[in-house]
Amino acid sequence: MALVNLETLIAGARAGQLVSFPTDTVPALATLPEKAGLIFAAKQRSQDKPLILMAARAEDLWPYVKGSQDEYEIWQQVVNKYWPGALTLVLPASDVSDGLRLRLPPAMNPNDPTTIGIRVPNSAIARAILAKTGPLATTSANFSGQPPLSTMAEIAVQFPDALSLATNEGLGVGVPSTVAKWTGTNWQILRQGEITLN
């Protein structure tokens, strides 16, 4: 059981370890994007369930997606309204690394690496961690198909190989984020959470 302080958790995440911390929705299981396979293995998660790229601010996420100028403006309007918050946007993923854009490892979304879910959580703890680690591959902390765990102590027991933040604060509302996928013209709701897109 590895309940650790903030500094240890951040150092572990930066070194590529599996970590867990509170968010505004449910606690996250997270690691560096290139280590995404650790999450699938730990959760016994099906490859057809992509991970979410979470960051401290939208500016850290834009390099990983691609779209037209008009699309960026639409996406930015939604982000300005709902982030930080419980909304995951599924957008076309960048397929190049050219200095301006960054390419995510296919392990983030093994079945469809052309899209990526991105989110900035409305959680001071999560954003403080993400500001130090950079964007992380994330998902809820639970075995696949089971309800999300609600305390860091439970997570430390179920995922003994992960570094879990020793805190009972900021554990979120317990409801996963709304997931909205960009279709090229509008939003398709893949999962309804607390936020309703207008």
Side-chain angles (χ1 to χ4, degrees):
M1 195 167 129
L3 284 167
V4 299
N5 65 21
L6 194 63
E7 290 71 25
T8 303
L9 182 124
I10 289 168
R14 290 167 75 166
Q17 285 182 267
L18 203 56
V19 299
S20 183
F21 52 83
T23 76
D24 50 339
T25 56
V26 296
L29 200 59
T31 191
L32 295 174
E34 56 270 27
K35 298 283 190 175
L38 292 175
I39 293 178
F40 285 96
K43 284 186 60 130
Q44 300 154 21
R45 184 179 175 93
S46 161
Q47 295 281 306
D48 62 358
K49 293 182 174 177
L51 304 177
I52 292 170
L53 190 67
M54 199 180 277
R57 49 196 200 120
E59 291 78 9
D60 297 336
L61 294 168
W62 292 135
Y64 293 97
V65 301
K66 64 173 183 181
S68 68
Q69 192 59 45
D70 288 346
E71 285 177 316
Y72 274 109
E73 286 174 15
I74 292 167
W75 301 342
Q76 187 69 55
Q77 285 171 358
V78 171
V79 161
N80 290 347
K81 185 171 183 181
Y82 296 105
W83 280 2
L87 175 66
T88 298
L89 299 180
V90 180
L91 302 177
S94 171
D95 51 10
V96 295
S97 291
D98 60 7
L100 294 173
R101 288 180 293 177
L102 297 166
R103 184 176 194 166
L104 280 167
M108 285 284 299
N109 188 352
N111 277 16
D112 181 12
T114 65
T115 64
I116 184 63
I118 60 173
R119 182 164 103 82
V120 174
N122 189 17
S123 159
I125 293 173
R127 289 204 311 276
I129 292 166
L130 293 160
K132 297 274 177 60
T133 61
L136 293 178
T138 67
T139 184
S140 57
N142 55 288
F143 287 143
S144 204
Q146 295 185 3
L149 298 172
S150 56
T151 71
M152 301 312 295
E154 288 174 329
I155 293 164
V157 170
Q158 193 161 103
F159 297 99
D161 294 339
L163 299 177
S164 299
L165 188 64
T167 182
N168 291 316
E169 295 181 27
L171 284 172
V173 295
V175 179
S177 64
T178 297
V179 179
K181 181 176 183 177
W182 180 249
T183 66
T185 51
N186 55 25
W187 298 103
Q188 173 191 3
I189 303 301
L190 302 182
R191 179 177 71 196
Q192 185 61 56
E194 288 233 310
I195 286 178
T196 301
L197 272 188
N198 297 330

